[in-house]
Amino acid sequence: MDMAMDYSASILEGLGEGIVAFDKTHRAVMANTHLIALMGWDKQAVCGASPEVLFAQRPELLRILNEGIKKKVLVSDIDLVHHNADGGLQHLRVSTSFLDADTRSGLVLAVRDVSEIKRMEWEIFQVEKMTALGRLAASVAHEVRNPLGAIDIQLQLLEEDLEALSSALKERLVGRLNIAQTEMKRLDRLVYNFLRFSRTPKLHLRQVSLNDVVRRVFELVSPEAREREVVLCLELSDGLPAINGDEDQLGQAVLNIVVNAFQSMATGGDLVARTQTESGQVCLMLTDTGCGIPEEEVDRIFEFYYTTKDEGTGLGLSIAQRIIYQHGGHIDVESLPERGTTFRVYLPVHERR
């Protein structure tokens, strides 16, 4: 019997989800280490505690527990979102069952942290959506560019014809013609951006140092940084593992994030680039001291043509995300309004063959 109990305890501890059990008196009789860590509990204070005490800061879980204990209503794979104190989101998948199925007494709560799964699902959906929008953009851009070219030719011919007019009328018409040509150029840039986004360049992969990529980007933007009164700081890890990457495309992705940081620091500030190794991946952290991103907008910053800046195009971060995704990596964002934003770029380590 003791051996069976030992096996049960080992199994519960080895599960990839958190488990807590309440007896018929509504008191916790056990909780595995995974759930204790996930909930941030004091291990010594769990056994004998009531749901109201353990889940005082988790009303959504307390509601599910009370429905199971008092109303005998069970749930299966219910997804909940919890707002952490640091502003982050925690996605939980929850199920309940009776501790004693025959008497339908007691309750077992199983909790799994699916935040990483949700992030990956969102990222895949985002990239697929961007790809579909890119195809649409390409077809629209091609259709628009032909008549734009014809109009531009006609404007040039009209400018030549104006040479024969009197000076007063000529000056007035040339002014209007210049306005039309300026708007034509703006439309052409818009079409070019559509085409640039719709084309997915082929990657030329080789062994690349992410530190070298970041250094080159910072050297490139240093004149603009001085003009904007932005202080650039490199804190690059020595001995950082190489990655499989297209140096030019990775540079474009990092540059787009840096430009976004510049635009968020209208009155100057600091931009720090740090590199390190995390869980077998190389991580680049770009931290600015800009205006930050409101919580309700963080999930939208990678959307096609979504921008909150007057000088932004809404393409830079979308392109950066697609490039990093093509390299087998991903981007995380943390931001506090009026305090700054950190972009974390994760890329797999170079595989020796």
Side-chain angles (χ1 to χ4, degrees):
M1 185 68 174
D2 291 340
M3 185 175 294
M5 290 295 290
D6 289 342
Y7 283 143
S8 298
S10 298
I11 292 171
L12 289 173
E13 289 299 327
L15 290 175
E17 60 184 10
I19 301 290
V20 60
F22 296 90
D23 62 15
K24 61 183 179 181
T25 65
H26 308 168
R27 298 291 172 177
V29 292
M30 67 77 56
N32 67 354
T33 304
H34 190 89
L35 186 67
I36 291 172
L38 188 63
M39 297 291 112
W41 292 336
D42 179 359
K43 186 176 181 179
Q44 306 301 322
V46 173
C47 287
S50 66
E52 287 75 16
V53 171
L54 291 176
F55 295 98
Q57 306 301 319
R58 306 263 185 166
E60 69 284 354
L61 288 177
L62 182 58
R63 176 184 57 80
I64 289 174
L65 278 170
N66 284 331
E67 286 184 353
I69 292 173
K70 299 176 182 178
K71 301 180 181 178
K72 308 298 182 183
V73 176
L74 302 179
V75 299
S76 178
D77 292 336
I78 296 296
D79 287 347
L80 303 175
V81 178
H82 176 72
H83 294 262
N84 294 325
D86 60 3
L89 297 179
Q90 191 178 50
H91 295 267
L92 304 176
R93 186 159 292 166
V94 182
S95 298
T96 53
S97 59
F98 294 117
L99 185 61
D100 188 333
D102 294 333
T103 61
R104 290 165 57 90
S105 62
L107 199 71
V108 176
L109 175 71
V111 181
R112 181 185 294 272
D113 188 340
V114 292
S115 301
E116 183 67 11
I117 295 174
K118 290 292 185 181
R119 183 197 62 75
M120 293 174 65
E121 288 176 349
W122 176 85
E123 191 171 85
I124 292 171
F125 167 75
Q126 187 74 7
V127 171
E128 289 177 346
K129 183 174 67 174
M130 293 304 101
T131 301
L133 285 172
R135 295 194 190 101
L136 175 62
S139 63
V140 171
H142 281 297
E143 291 298 324
V144 171
R145 209 165 203 183
N146 291 333
L148 279 179
I151 294 171
D152 187 49
I153 291 173
Q154 295 302 313
L155 289 176
Q156 293 177 36
L157 293 173
L158 182 58
E159 188 175 13
E160 294 175 4
D161 293 339
L162 289 178
E163 294 298 327
L165 295 177
S166 61
S167 58
L169 180 59
K170 175 183 175 181
E171 184 177 350
R172 187 165 64 251
L173 292 179
V174 166
R176 293 175 179 175
L177 184 62
N178 288 337
I179 293 174
Q181 288 176 327
T182 300
E183 292 302 304
M184 279 286 300
K185 290 177 181 178
R186 189 175 69 85
L187 286 173
D188 191 61
R189 285 196 303 271
L190 183 62
V191 171
Y192 170 76
N193 283 335
F194 269 111
L195 288 173
R196 185 183 64 169
F197 182 80
S198 66
R199 294 169 182 154
T200 303
K202 182 179 179 180
L203 299 181
H204 301 282
L205 299 177
R206 65 182 184 86
Q207 189 172 339
V208 174
S209 166
L210 185 59
N211 284 348
D212 289 345
V213 172
V214 177
R215 287 192 188 99
R216 276 192 285 273
V217 171
F218 270 41
E219 288 174 4
L220 177 66
V221 301
S222 58
E224 183 178 356
R226 287 192 294 270
E227 183 180 336
R228 289 176 175 268
E229 298 183 350
V230 173
V231 178
L232 301 177
C233 181
L234 289 172
E235 298 180 5
L236 307 181
S237 173
D238 294 332
L240 193 72
I243 59 175
N244 289 317
D246 184 313
E247 197 164 3
D248 291 338
Q249 292 297 313
L250 287 173
Q252 182 66 58
V254 175
L255 176 62
N256 289 358
I257 298 174
V258 168
V259 169
N260 184 82
F262 281 2
Q263 292 172 351
S264 73
M265 294 185 284
T267 58
D270 299 325
L271 178 61
V272 182
R274 299 182 180 90
T275 55
Q276 62 188 42
T277 305
E278 288 187 19
S279 304
Q281 292 182 305
V282 172
C283 176
L284 164 64
M285 291 174 286
L286 289 164
T287 302
D288 65 58
T289 56
C291 60
I293 306 168
E295 182 181 337
E296 63 274 13
E297 294 181 5
V298 169
D299 289 340
R300 300 191 61 192
I301 61 174
F302 295 108
E303 290 183 7
F304 183 62
Y305 262 83
Y306 178 79
T307 181
T308 59
K309 304 179 182 72
D310 294 337
E311 56 185 312
T313 64
L315 282 172
L317 293 180
S318 299
I319 293 172
Q321 185 194 50
R322 187 174 64 185
I323 291 171
I324 299 303
Y325 183 79
Q326 283 181 282
H327 281 78
H330 67 275
I331 304 177
D332 287 341
V333 184
E334 291 181 7
S335 187
L336 292 173
E338 308 305 326
R339 296 192 54 185
T341 302
T342 296
F343 283 83
R344 285 184 171 85
V345 179
Y346 294 91
L347 291 162
V349 172
H350 169 70
E351 295 180 5
R352 298 186 180 274
R353 298 181 182 275

